[in-house]
Every structure is written in C-alpha cells, then in structure tokens.
Amino acid sequence: SQKIEQNSEALNIQEGKTATLTCNYTNYSPAYLQWYRQDPGRGPVFLLLIRENEKEKRKERLKVTFDTTLKQSLFHITASQPADSATYLCALGTGGFKTIFGAGTRLFVKA
Amino acid sequence: EAGVAQSPRYKIIEKRQSVAFWCNPISGHATLYWYQQILGQGPKLLIQFQNNGVVDDSQLPKDRFSAERLKGVDSTLKIQPAKLEDSAVYLCASSVRDRGRTDTQYFGPGTRLTVL
C-alpha cells in the first residue's frame, strides 16, 4: 500500500544546531516533493519544492535533498532558532496534480 | 495580495446537526481544495475543484458531505448530519499551476469543528 512516513516523535534540538527531518515514502513515484511548515492554529505554509530530477535545493537556512532510489527526502534547518519550532509536513506531488501529505514532524528548538 | 479566507474559524455543534464552511481563494487561483486535518495527522484531501468543476472527490464521504464552488471562485463545504468523528480542522487551499507542472498550495487558517 502507499505510505508516507515522517518521524512520528517530536524532534528536540538546541538553538544553533542543525535540525534534520526525514520523509520516507513507498509505492509512490512523485514528480516532485514539497515541504510545508504548520504552526498551531494555522494552515500549512509552503517552504520548498524539489523535483524528481533534482538532488538538492537550498533557500536561506533551509536545505532539501531528494533521493528517488531510497524514496527519501531530508529537510535540514541550519543554525536553528526557537522561531523555527513548528510542525513540518512533507507532501508528494504525484501525476495528475494530486498532492499527498505526510503526518508531519514536530520540531522544538530550545534557547 | 490577500490570502485564502475561511469562515467561521471555530464551530461547535451537536451530532446530527448540519454545518457549512466558506472559503474565498486567492484571486486568480483556478484550483481549490478542501482538506480535513485530524489532530496529529496530515491534511487529507476531501475534494479538489478546477474552476467550478470537480477534479477529485474520491475521499469525500458523499452520504454526508457536499461541496460546491460558485462561479469558479468561492466555495462552501457542508456536513449533514455531522458525526463525532467529523471533529477536525477543515482547511481550504488554492493554487495556480505553473509551467513546470507543479502545484504549490496556499492555505487558509482553517475552521476548527467540534462535534459533541
């Protein structure tokens, strides 16, 4: 069956460290993969998109990698700050403009 | 640019009652989505519109949920009758497809529904 798996447990890290979040998927062939941020009581906000033929994408302190052989994406936040604390959602873009969301990983950055 | 607007923000009803949610997407966005997000889970697509036509409603419980998109702009989602398990946040999103055939969605703040 098709699955998207993100770290189910919350990730706690110290301010200034790099946070790494994982998204694994099975039985999908996504054309692209996106990462969204969601704060409590708010809708998700788009952060980054990476296509199937791209290995890495960067935006300021954010970096995403995409390995279609391993069926995995890694999302990195460097020099993390308490303001980065949120839930991060992985979303697969499949054929036909369908987007499937993972359950998300909660990140807590301690000062 | 104004974002996606939703109302109400919160709604509490008793089971078997009916409820309606409203969404106004970003101007010019042809695609509109309704998602259900249960606490601790990711958004689950209920229905997707392209202009005023339905593209995907495969996960919409059609015996109790209905949705329409008036003139390809605003949309309403209705639940009748509500069940306890419908307690969730209902998110509306809109998007405009780019030439690279990707679909970046812009979400509203959501409506938190509690069914007692």
Side-chain angles (χ1 to χ4, degrees), chain A residues 39-95:
Chain A
D39 291 285
R42 311 190 98 160
V45 174
F46 170 74
L47 296 175
L48 277 171
L49 178 150
I50 186 164
R51 299 175 197 278
E52 59 178 336
N53 60 349
E54 297 175 319
K55 295 291 185 189
E56 183 179 297
K57 219 46 169 316
R58 291 176 186 257
K59 179 183 175 183
E60 297 172 355
R61 294 184 296 112
L62 308 180
K63 184 177 88 170
V64 174
T65 63
F66 192 12
D67 189 325
T68 54
T69 301
L70 290 179
K71 296 187 184 296
Q72 180 182 77
S73 174
L74 298 178
F75 177 78
H76 306 271
I77 305 175
T78 57
S80 59
Q81 304 165 2
D84 295 326
S85 298
T87 296
Y88 291 86
L89 300 166
C90 160
L92 303 186
T94 63

Side-chain angles (χ1 to χ4, degrees), chain B residues 31-76:
Chain B
T31 310
L32 185 147
Y33 312 79
W34 282 103
Y35 288 91
Q36 180 192 61
Q37 187 173 28
I38 292 171
L39 189 64
Q41 299 182 19
K44 171 189 159 188
L45 180 69
L46 292 175
I47 190 166
Q48 178 179 343
F49 291 95
Q50 181 72 16
N51 295 309
N52 58 354
V54 175
V55 173
D56 184 352
D57 63 356
S58 57
Q59 298 190 93
L60 186 75
K62 297 180 186 66
D63 57 334
R64 297 184 302 107
F65 286 65
S66 65
E68 61 178 2
R69 188 173 185 194
L70 306 172
K71 299 180 182 176
V73 182
D74 291 9
S75 179
T76 55

Side-chain angles (χ1 to χ4, degrees), chain A residues 31-32 34 36 38 40-46 49 51 87 89 94-104, chain B residues 9 33 35 37 40-43 45 48 55-56 58 91 97-98 100-105 107-110 112:
Chain A
Y32 56 90
Q34 298 171 318
Y36 287 78
Q38 187 171 25
R42 311 190 98 160
V45 174
F46 170 74
L49 178 150
R51 299 175 197 278
T87 296
L89 300 166
T94 63
F97 296 106
K98 193 166 186 172
T99 303
I100 314 294
F101 284 85
Chain B
R9 290 296 314 276
Y33 312 79
Y35 288 91
Q37 187 173 28
Q41 299 182 19
L45 180 69
Q48 178 179 343
V55 173
D56 184 352
S58 57
L91 294 164
R97 305 233 164 103
D98 67 14
R101 297 178 60 79
T102 62
D103 191 38
T104 297
Q105 298 180 33
F107 285 83
R112 180 175 296 278

